Amino acid sequence: MSTRTAVVTGASSGIGEATARELAKQGYHVYVGARRFDRVQRLAEDIGGTALELDVTSEDSVRAFTDAVERVDVLVNNAGGAKGLAPVLEADLDDWRWMWETNVVGTLRVTKALLPKLIASGDGLIVTVTSVAALHTYDNGAGYTSAKHAQGVLHRTLRGELLGQPVRLTEIAPGAVETEFSLVRFDGDAERAAKVYEGIDPLYAEDIAQIVAFAASRPPHVNLDTIVVKPRDQEGPGRFSRRPAN
Ligand code: NAP
């Protein structure tokens, strides 16, 4: 049997990088894509995978990336993130465009391009990393929550449209995971980013990677539809139990 192949978008840090490592451990050849090519190149060297530059907001970049992938059994739609935290009244339209282009249209571009190959594999799996922000709203978060809701709706619609095809679909909706996510959201402000995880035990990228690997290791007739995972210290997007600062 030929080697099973996985594609992980946004593999240059956080959940994507950890997922690529976990899938490689399971024996997958992993194609890792992101805009920061030096990072995915180092990762590919480590795991014996293939690094490719990928900007999910660019039609040409996605075409070049997906053309280079000959076979795909597992697609992990992970590239994404948030920009800013502002009330609707003060919404920054460029931030909104970034979030919609990356999380929603980016997921659509990559999924659409790889779908024929996933079907051809005979047992394809699409994992989309949405968020608890795909299930709930929170004040000042409408740019991100609306994008994540839309990404979730895209993914869930495919579940119905692909009935009868050999493709499974798993949505993973994490709560707070300590990655570069908040650093990106707050434009490189490390102090503000650190506050998000202060006084809680957050999830780590490896926790999500292990869940992706578990979903991928189920037999073909088992479809894990939606997995919501949060730190014990978190009940909802904005509701945490925090230890007081010393
Ligand atoms: P992260 O460490 O910031 O990783 C985000 C990844 O997305 C990076 O590899 C980044 O790579 C990539 N990316 C961003 N824009 C891209 C683009 N235009 N084209 C290709 N890749 C792009 O954050 P993370 O927490 O691992 O985030 C991964 C996913 O989990 C995101 O979809 C995020 O919304 C979701 N999520 C995160 C949390 C959390 O609390 N951390 C919770 C729920 C859901 P480059 O910058 O190199 O392109």
Side-chain angles (χ1 to χ4, degrees), residues 84-118:
L85 194 62
V88 172
L89 197 59
E90 291 159 25
D92 181 320
L93 296 195
D94 286 336
D95 283 352
W96 275 62
R97 282 191 196 97
W98 187 95
M99 289 187 270
W100 276 75
E101 266 297 327
T102 310
N103 295 285
V104 189
V105 188
T107 297
L108 172 62
R109 277 197 189 95
V110 176
T111 305
K112 198 176 159 198
L114 289 179
L115 204 41
K117 290 173 190 168
L118 284 156

Side-chain angles (χ1 to χ4, degrees), residues 10-206:
S12 60
S13 72
I15 295 168
E17 180 185 341
T19 298
R21 289 187 188 280
E22 201 61 41
L23 290 174
K25 265 196 248 163
Q26 280 199 355
Y28 283 86
H29 181 89
V30 190
Y31 287 88
V32 289
R35 292 167 305 176
R36 287 170 293 181
F37 183 68
D38 53 325
R39 288 200 185 195
V40 280
Q41 197 170 29
R42 275 200 303 274
L43 171 63
E45 278 164 18
D46 270 10
I47 65 173
T50 304
L52 295 164
E53 206 170 305
L54 172 66
D55 179 352
V56 298
T57 69
S58 153
E59 201 66 44
D60 289 347
S61 172
V62 170
R63 191 174 308 111
F65 178 85
T66 54
D67 282 354
V69 174
E70 272 172 40
R71 172 203 166 111
V72 55
D73 299 275
V74 176
L75 163 63
V76 185
N77 284 315
N78 166 77
K83 285 269 184 205
L85 194 62
V88 172
L89 197 59
E90 291 159 25
D92 181 320
L93 296 195
D94 286 336
D95 283 352
W96 275 62
R97 282 191 196 97
W98 187 95
M99 289 187 270
W100 276 75
E101 266 297 327
T102 310
N103 295 285
V104 189
V105 188
T107 297
L108 172 62
R109 277 197 189 95
V110 176
T111 305
K112 198 176 159 198
L114 289 179
L115 204 41
K117 290 173 190 168
L118 284 156
I119 292 170
S121 78
D123 177 27
L125 170 67
I126 300 172
V127 177
T128 303
V129 183
T130 64
S131 170
V132 289
L135 309 170
H136 304 277
T137 62
Y138 58 90
D139 292 355
N140 307 324
Y144 185 58
T145 57
S146 63
K148 284 300 193 187
H149 273 71
Q151 186 190 31
V153 168
L154 160 66
H155 173 95
R156 288 167 223 150
T157 302
L158 272 174
R159 177 82 172 94
E161 289 180 356
L162 292 177
L163 270 181
Q165 298 285 359
V167 179
R168 289 178 281 155
L169 282 118
T170 298
E171 174 179 357
I172 303 183
V177 190
E178 191 167 4
T179 61
E180 293 178 16
F181 174 86
S182 296
L183 201 62
V184 172
R185 172 170 237 175
F186 300 130
D187 223 7
D189 183 340
E191 212 174 306
R192 195 172 173 202
K195 284 213 179 318
V196 174
Y197 313 105
E198 213 168 72
I200 64 164
D201 292 323
L203 296 173
Y204 297 102
E206 293 71 24

